[in-house]
Amino acid sequence: MSTILISGAGRGLGLELATQYAREGWQVIGTVREDAARKRLEKLGVEPQTLDVGDFGQARKLGERLKGRPLDILFCNAGIIGKRGMALGSFDYESWDEVLRVNVLGAAALAEALVDNVAASGKKTIAMMSSRLGSITESSGMTLPYGTSKAALNMLVKGLAATLAGRGVKVVALSPGWVRTDMGGESAPLAPQDSVAGLRKVLAGLKSTDSGKFFSHDGSPIPW
């Protein structure tokens, strides 16, 4: 049985990822912060693990708890959007710092804590949930902290891909598209079910030569 660990699995795309993989018979581990989210995962037959990705010590402790358990896919999904509409002259550096800590450093800490688990598996895949706003061709001042965090996350993907190539681990960045979630809003065109189905198809079709690349949910490559 294949195993996937999904961070931020208590709601939105993380919950939909957990739902679909569990339905397909995967062993699913989902990280959450709240008891209500734990209960949602337990009802799906998903193993909940407590993790605040902004607390790097918690990531290390998670690695200790899961020592020796192969993870076919580590999906670093947890993230926050931060304050919207920042402009030069009114930057909120505290908010920006939080976004970078969660979206970039949190993903790095989780990958570092669990890389041996991934390398011990059959599929050997690390996926990072990014966004087209992390591409230099699609950046926007309206979501400046979020966009810069995803651009940095994309560079993390490229660096990890090069570092882990010798261990056979594939590392990719994925864009879910504009999805109807708390973050995406009700006007978004994509349903979570459709976005996640596409992401799963991309992951299922990955080749070793795809490591270090950035893909949309529909399988099309995205320029860095």
Side-chain angles (χ1 to χ4, degrees):
M1 180 185 295
S2 297
T3 302
I4 183 171
L5 185 144
I6 304 161
S7 67
R11 63 179 182 174
L13 291 174
L15 181 58
E16 184 61 31
L17 281 162
T19 300
Q20 291 195 23
Y21 274 107
R23 187 186 301 142
E24 290 295 317
W26 282 56
Q27 182 175 18
V28 181
I29 304 169
T31 75
V32 295
R33 294 184 298 168
E34 303 166 351
D35 287 340
R38 291 182 67 90
K39 292 176 182 177
R40 284 195 291 272
L41 293 186
E42 287 170 348
K43 288 181 180 179
L44 295 172
V46 172
E47 175 187 336
Q49 289 282 346
T50 301
L51 175 69
D52 180 345
V53 295
D55 185 332
F56 311 143
Q58 287 189 24
R60 288 191 294 271
K61 289 179 181 177
L62 177 63
E64 292 168 2
R65 293 198 299 272
L66 298 180
K67 187 174 181 179
R69 294 179 62 179
L71 297 174
D72 289 277
I73 300 177
L74 168 60
F75 203 129
C76 297
N77 163 75
I80 59 175
I81 196 165
K83 186 176 181 179
R84 300 172 187 259
M86 282 194 200
L88 192 64
S90 61
F91 286 160
D92 184 332
Y93 292 105
E94 185 175 345
S95 174
W96 204 334
D97 181 69
E98 182 186 18
V99 172
L100 291 170
R101 183 176 182 86
V102 172
N103 293 2
V104 185
L105 301 182
L110 193 57
E112 183 176 44
L114 297 174
V115 65
D116 289 340
N117 304 69
V118 176
S121 74
K123 300 186 188 301
K124 302 179 190 292
T125 300
I126 298 175
M128 302 276 186
M129 191 73 91
S130 187
S131 166
R132 284 184 177 272
L133 292 174
S135 167
I136 194 169
T137 62
E138 310 217 16
S139 59
S140 168
M142 291 299 292
T143 51
L144 191 57
Y146 182 75
T148 54
S149 77
K150 292 306 182 179
L153 183 72
N154 290 346
M155 292 307 297
L156 174 64
V157 165
K158 290 178 71 69
L160 287 177
T163 300
L164 297 175
R167 301 181 70 178
V169 175
K170 301 183 290 293
V171 189
V172 294
L174 299 175
S175 170
W178 185 14
V179 189
R180 289 191 297 275
T181 62
D182 289 345
M183 187 179 290
E186 287 298 321
S187 60
L190 266 177
Q193 296 87 344
D194 296 332
S195 172
V196 167
L199 294 171
R200 290 177 55 233
K201 186 175 180 180
V202 172
L203 288 170
L206 286 178
K207 305 181 293 292
S208 59
T209 53
D210 291 326
S211 190
K213 295 181 180 179
F214 187 11
F215 293 100
S216 172
H217 69 283
D218 61 10
S220 61
I222 301 173
W224 293 110

